[in-house]
Amino acid sequence: MSVPFTPMTFEIETKRLALRMWKESDAYWYRELVAERGVVKPTLENARKKISLFRKGAQENGISLLSIQRQNEGDFIGYCGLIIGRSSLEEPEIAYELFRSVHGHGYATEAASAIVNAAMATGRHRLWSTVRSWNVASFRVLEKIRFERRLRTWDEDGELVWNVRDL
Ligand SMILES: CC(C)(COP(=O)(O)OP(=O)(O)OC[C@H]1O[C@@H](n2cnc3c(N)ncnc32)[C@H](O)[C@@H]1OP(=O)(O)O)[C@@H](O)C(=O)NCCC(=O)NCCS
């Protein structure tokens, strides 16, 4: 599918982190991360399929979630990136999820800030993020990267807050 935007860069380095396109070997850690949500851990085969879908989506849409490694430790700590989500390819959502063991060190903010810059470089003018009203940590990350709360909607899982950042 051709889109009127430059494809997002899929390799980003920040002060402490390396954000990269998913590799098949990330499947092991991706399973562990999903399991931390308190849901059934995906099989290795399903985790590999998911990663292959991330890679295919990146080729088709020019945006993607990226895996995050810490540069010093070299370990996989989660992901951050752009998804269509509840929004659109033109105004995608920023999304992130990190292992609990690394929360509170500013990693999500560092990664998300780099993703905002990468989104700007594609020529986009606006990003969204939909967050459950209880998710204080996620709101704080968004606040630090200059998103503003815009509207509230409700679905079967409760209240959803739509946050926006004009680029
Ligand atoms: C949201 C998430 C990615 C944040 O990751 P992180 O690396 O810990 O984020 P940062 O350290 O960059 O920033 C977190 C901020 O939230 C604050 N925070 C975290 N929990 C908090 C709480 N219960 N009350 C108040 N502030 C809180 C931290 O103090 C920090 O703010 P500060 O820098 O002003 O001190 C992480 O909590 C996560 O993976 N959660 C599960 C997945 C998820 O919810 N993803 C978002 C879906 S919308």
Side-chain angles (χ1 to χ4, degrees), residues 96-98 103-109 135-138 140-141 144:
Y96 34 70
E97 182 173 13
L98 303 183
H103 288 182
H105 296 280
Y107 291 134
T109 305
N135 199 338
V136 184
S138 187
R140 180 70 188 124
V141 171
K144 288 193 282 181

